């Protein structure tokens, strides 16, 4: 058994070593797009995921600069989505861009710390960013510097204060305080058992 | 305001009551206010396939002339404010048909922070259809049930709302906070 285990470990090591080398960009329109952008922005990391799908990782302090560069080829901002990495204490912002001329979808990922998260607004590049930023501000509490309309948007005021899509928002206790706990899903006695 | 064309004396005079009930049952007008996912079941219900007009029902854009209110699916506090205002605008023999499990107990949105768990605490429901989502056949079954209840006088949600208004009002105020009518409803309805 021990011999087998060693073999497995060796295999894992070799795989990791292989991954350390930077994968070469394919000679497709996606690969050429990534190459073109990375030449202008060497601080970013770029890769091709599959056909019509490319991905960039950008440090947070240079995100606005990178988006400005990317907007030459990617005319459309489709969405700003947020991922809450609770253990790493970070928010990941994913700008989803669409290139109308090339038909390529790009993810631009950037990470900011969770406390007092702050990112420059993308409104001056794509005016539509206003809505997505308001939404991200309301649900996660990220502050977009330069966006004039951050404030109550979709949620009720009491939800707005708590940022309900954060991973550390305790939905169950919130539900019990707001809607009452006369119907308890985890009721042991099953007197009020509903589901 | 809101007095029926039938005078008080005639209401007390129960001789014509069966006739009135029969007429109400045969001419139900719906509020066209699609709350939640069940709105998607309404087009086949109203159009040629299931053709609900055979029952003498009609979707109606004005709550002032409606009898039946369909709560079609989950209800968030924001929608519930509108639902309550719309329900209170309707003239008095008024009935509520709730579709699906969400108005009964929250359904799949049980743990969700923005879905009302038990709609019956805030407005009276006459007939609730279980399931998610009820097919038009199930909705038609619910409609026949509410017709039966109208004819036999069991559909008394509007009476319950009047008699227990303090209780309903208390629950609504607990959820929305005091003074929500003045704050929110006045913004939508200038004449309130």
């Amino acid at each position: 058994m021990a011999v087998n285990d060693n073999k497995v470990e060796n295999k894992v090591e070799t795989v990791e070593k292989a991954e350390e080398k930077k994968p070469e960009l394919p000679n497709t329109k996606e690969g050429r797009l990534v190459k073109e952008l990375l030449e202008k922005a060497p601080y970013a990391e770029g890769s091709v995921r599959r056909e019509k799908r490319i991905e960039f990782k950008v440090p947070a302090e240079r995100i606005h600069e990178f988006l400005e560069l990317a907007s030459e080829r990617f005319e459309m901002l489709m969405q700003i989505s947020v991922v809450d990495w609770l253990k790493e204490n970070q928010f990941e912002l994913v700008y989803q861009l669409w290139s109308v001329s090339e038909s390529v979808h790009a993810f631009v990922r950037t990470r900011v710390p969770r406390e007092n998260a702050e990112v420059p607004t993308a409104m001056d590049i794509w005016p539509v960013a206003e809505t997505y930023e308001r939404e991200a501000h309301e649900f996660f509490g990220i502050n977009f510097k330069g966006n004039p309309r951050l404030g109550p948007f979709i949620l009720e005021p009491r939800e707005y204060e708590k940022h309900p899509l954060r991973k550390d928002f305790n939905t169950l206790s919130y539900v019990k305080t707001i809607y009452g706990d006369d119907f308890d899903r985890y009721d042991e006695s099953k007197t009020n058992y509903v589901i | 305001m809101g007095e029926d064309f039938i005078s008080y004396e005639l209401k007390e005079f129960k001789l014509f009551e069966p006739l009135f009930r029969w007429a109400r049952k045969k001419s139900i007008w719906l509020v066209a206010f699609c709350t939640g996912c069940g709105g998607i079941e309404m087009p086949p219900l109203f159009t040629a396939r299931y053709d609900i007009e055979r029952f003498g029902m009609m979707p109606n854009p004005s709550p002032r002339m409606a009898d039946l209110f369909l709560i079609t699916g989950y209800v968030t506090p924001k929608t519930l404010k509108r639902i309550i205002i719309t329900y209170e605008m309707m003239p008095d023999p008024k009935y509520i048909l709730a579709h699906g499990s969400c108005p009964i107990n929250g359904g799949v949105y049980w743990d969700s922070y923005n879905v009302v768990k038990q709609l019956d605490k805030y407005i009276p429901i006459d007939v609730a259809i279980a399931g998610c989502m009820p097919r038009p056949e199930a909705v038609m079954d619910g409609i026949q049930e509410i017709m039966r209840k109208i004819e036999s006088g069991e559909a008394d949600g509007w009476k319950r709302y009047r008699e227990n208004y303090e209780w309903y009002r208390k629950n609504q105020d607990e959820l929305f906070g005091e003074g929500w009518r003045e704050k929110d409803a006045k913004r939508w309805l200038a004449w309130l």
Side-chain angles (χ1 to χ4, degrees):
Chain A
M1 285 303 286
V3 179
N4 285 340
D5 285 346
N6 282 338
K7 271 182 185 174
V8 170
E9 278 168 20
N10 288 337
K11 269 184 191 171
V12 168
E13 277 171 21
T14 50
V15 168
E16 278 172 1
K17 271 173 193 169
E19 276 179 356
E20 276 172 20
K21 290 175 194 167
K22 271 196 174 179
E24 284 192 13
L25 295 167
N27 191 21
T28 53
K29 63 175 175 185
E30 293 86 5
R32 282 193 292 276
L33 256 176
V34 175
K35 207 174 165 189
E36 187 194 317
L37 262 171
L38 289 188
E39 271 170 14
K40 290 179 196 164
Y43 48 83
E45 289 173 42
S47 61
V48 178
R49 265 201 176 183
R50 56 173 171 83
E51 205 187 337
K52 290 190 175 186
R53 181 71 51 91
I54 60 180
E55 194 176 13
F56 294 99
K57 281 178 188 169
V58 189
E61 59 269 17
R62 306 191 77 164
I63 180 69
H64 190 265
E65 193 182 325
F66 183 85
L67 288 176
E68 222 163 7
L69 270 176
S71 67
E72 290 166 12
R73 304 304 299 273
F74 295 90
E75 296 91 344
M76 208 172 131
L77 174 68
M78 298 203 297
Q79 176 89 50
I80 300 172
S81 45
V82 184
V83 189
D84 189 355
W85 297 100
L86 190 61
K87 281 181 190 166
E88 291 150 50
N89 208 18
Q90 280 175 332
F91 283 129
E92 184 174 31
L93 277 102
V94 188
Y95 291 78
Q96 299 184 30
L97 315 178
W98 177 253
S99 171
V100 180
S101 47
E102 306 272 344
S103 306
V104 174
H105 185 170
F107 290 159
V108 180
R109 299 168 183 278
T110 183
R111 293 207 176 197
V112 286
R114 272 175 114 250
E115 283 85 32
N116 304 322
E118 209 173 61
V119 185
T121 177
M123 266 175 74
D124 46 343
I125 309 170
W126 299 281
V128 72
E130 180 186 311
T131 312
Y132 305 136
E133 284 171 1
R134 287 176 79 185
E135 195 179 326
H137 173 72
E138 190 163 53
F139 283 105
F140 291 93
I142 297 171
N143 198 11
F144 288 88
K145 247 188 292 172
N147 188 328
R149 291 186 71 195
L150 296 180
F153 180 31
I154 300 170
L155 300 176
E156 298 267 298
R158 58 165 187 266
E159 292 161 358
Y160 170 74
E161 290 158 16
K162 300 222 173 179
H163 309 302
L165 289 194
R166 282 189 180 194
K167 286 272 185 257
D168 54 358
F169 173 77
N170 190 344
T171 322
L172 198 61
S173 72
Y174 179 81
V175 163
K176 280 187 181 177
T177 50
I178 297 298
Y179 301 103
D181 50 1
D182 33 337
F183 276 76
D184 194 343
R185 186 180 188 170
Y186 305 104
D187 190 1
E188 290 289 320
S189 64
K190 304 241 186 327
T191 44
N192 292 321
Y193 198 78
V194 186
I195 291 180
Chain B
M1 197 175 164
E3 277 300 307
D4 289 357
F5 68 91
I6 305 162
S7 65
Y8 180 77
E9 289 80 9
L10 203 56
K11 259 191 204 168
E12 290 297 293
F13 187 54
K14 296 284 185 190
L15 183 62
F16 293 122
E17 196 61 24
L19 176 65
F20 292 157
R21 281 177 184 166
W22 179 83
R24 273 175 203 144
K25 163 195 158 181
K26 288 287 182 185
S27 61
I28 295 175
W29 286 18
L30 313 171
V31 200
F33 183 115
C34 289
T35 54
C37 4
I40 219 71
E41 304 282 347
M42 294 294 104
L45 199 64
F46 293 137
T47 49
R49 181 147 191 207
Y50 293 100
D51 194 15
I52 211 168
E53 269 190 34
R54 315 177 266 148
F55 298 120
M57 302 179 86
M58 195 172 82
N60 169 36
S62 164
R64 293 278 186 218
M65 289 173 256
D67 309 295
L68 182 61
F69 197 176
L70 301 182
I71 312 284
T72 55
Y74 66 84
V75 179
T76 65
K78 271 195 162 180
T79 327
L80 186 54
K81 285 178 191 169
R82 276 85 174 162
I83 287 176
I84 287 165
I85 296 294
T86 312
Y87 182 69
E88 288 177 2
M89 273 190 214
M90 285 160 65
D92 230 355
K94 51 191 171 184
Y95 316 102
I96 290 188
L97 177 64
H99 294 214
S101 27
C102 298
I104 302 170
N105 61 14
V108 292
Y109 302 109
W110 178 274
D111 291 341
S112 174
Y113 61 90
N114 57 355
V115 172
V116 171
K117 306 302 164 216
Q118 199 189 346
L119 185 61
D120 212 16
K121 270 164 74 174
Y122 308 103
I123 47 171
I125 295 177
D126 290 306
V127 174
I129 310 163
C132 174
M133 219 19 245
R135 296 236 339 128
E137 291 95 328
V139 177
M140 276 158 59
D141 188 55
I143 283 166
Q144 289 201 332
E145 175 70 14
I146 211 161
M147 284 177 161
R148 187 188 67 69
K149 281 193 167 184
I150 290 171
E151 195 163 25
S152 66
E154 286 170 60
D156 57 348
W158 58 282
K159 275 186 208 160
R160 271 185 285 140
Y161 195 65
R162 270 193 178 180
E163 286 160 11
N164 308 312
Y165 187 66
E166 281 92 40
W167 186 76
Y168 285 111
R169 184 69 188 261
K170 186 190 71 141
N171 288 338
Q172 293 165 8
D173 283 352
E174 266 174 24
L175 183 59
F176 303 134
E178 295 269 338
W180 64 275
R181 280 161 204 267
E182 290 73 27
K183 236 187 290 168
D184 294 332
K186 256 193 187 163
R187 257 191 333 198
W188 324 319
L189 311 167
W191 39 263
L192 257 185

